[in-house]
Amino acid sequence: MSLSVYARRAGLVAVSGSVYIGAVYLGLQLYGGGANKDDKLQNSADSDNITQSYVFDPSRTATFQRIAHSYDDEIAKDELVMGINLLRRALLYFHAKGDVLEVGAGTGRNLGYYPGDSTVNKIVLTDTSDKMLERAKEKLNFMSTKERERYDVVTADAANLTFEDNSFDTIVDSFGLCSFDDPVKVLIELQRVCKPDGKILLLEHGRSKTYLGLSGYLDKHAERHAKNWVSALLLG
């Protein structure tokens, strides 16, 4: 592989990462503002009142069922500002291959970023919300018959998959861990269904041990951001 190809890849990763990190603050300001100063933030799993929390809300699937109709329109703004589409494209184009399982696929935000059938044979999209997956199916209808035949859409719980051990060459989860009730259990399950020489590709939000100031800011405003974000989608 030529040096120029490596240079282009490195440039793509550097630009995507910089745009994303730099836009996190802007995204939170745009969609996390306007909270009452008297609001009590509940950002710890030890909170005595987590049933009132939008961060620790156990009814995640029900929430996604309600917001499926407006999810794409609203999240597209965030992803455009933060350069998320570039990150999706880079992750899947360079690393997805063979038989692919995508968990937490939602409305199919990764559709259009998978490499051609010479690299990826089959893609199984799964989510617990059938209404979110209905939006993904609508997008598939706009693809060619040949492209559409690569996809299966299955309502499934990522923590309790029905697939056999070592079933997939690649497993994809993009911004899904924050939507699972038990992320650790999901990761264990993904390892089970991934082939020994396969890859688990994660594109996720996460706390940084390096940028503690940014992590502190995210912790402080997580509850407010989650509440305003869901409210905006429901009103959309």
Side-chain angles (χ1 to χ4, degrees), residues 34-193:
N36 190 304
K37 291 183 179 180
D38 294 329
D39 287 347
K40 302 299 182 181
L41 300 176
Q42 299 171 1
N43 297 312
S44 169
D46 296 327
S47 170
D48 293 331
N49 194 27
I50 61 173
T51 57
Q52 301 301 313
S53 170
Y54 283 79
V55 174
F56 298 104
D57 181 7
S59 303
R60 293 178 178 85
T61 299
T63 298
F64 280 110
Q65 294 282 77
R66 295 198 306 272
I67 67 177
H69 68 286
S70 58
Y71 183 83
D72 274 334
D73 291 338
E74 192 66 34
I75 202 66
K77 301 174 185 177
D78 287 352
E79 296 203 345
L80 178 62
V81 171
M82 297 182 183
I84 299 300
N85 293 337
L86 290 175
L87 296 176
R88 292 181 187 274
R89 184 182 298 278
L91 181 71
L92 299 177
Y93 182 81
F94 293 125
H95 299 287
K97 65 178 182 178
D99 293 336
V100 177
L101 169 67
E102 183 176 338
V103 296
T107 61
R109 299 296 301 175
N110 287 326
L111 292 179
Y113 297 127
Y114 282 100
D117 56 10
S118 62
T119 303
V120 171
N121 306 318
K122 178 179 70 174
I123 305 151
V124 181
L125 305 179
T126 66
D127 200 286
T128 56
S129 170
D130 62 323
K131 292 189 179 299
M132 295 284 279
L133 290 176
E134 285 176 5
R135 304 304 296 270
K137 291 178 181 178
E138 292 173 3
K139 296 176 184 177
L140 289 173
N141 288 333
F142 288 97
M143 294 182 174
S144 66
T145 300
K146 181 179 179 181
E147 176 67 9
R148 190 166 59 245
E149 287 177 347
R150 291 201 299 165
Y151 289 88
D152 288 330
V153 181
V154 179
T155 304
D157 181 357
N160 294 283
L161 297 169
T162 58
F163 304 108
E164 296 182 357
D165 295 357
N166 309 322
S167 295
F168 296 93
D169 300 289
T170 309
I171 298 180
V172 177
D173 174 26
S174 56
F175 305 109
L177 289 181
C178 58
S179 304
F180 302 133
D181 290 335
D182 191 340
V184 174
K185 186 176 181 181
V186 169
L187 291 173
I188 293 173
E189 186 71 344
L190 299 189
Q191 183 181 35
R192 180 185 69 79
V193 299

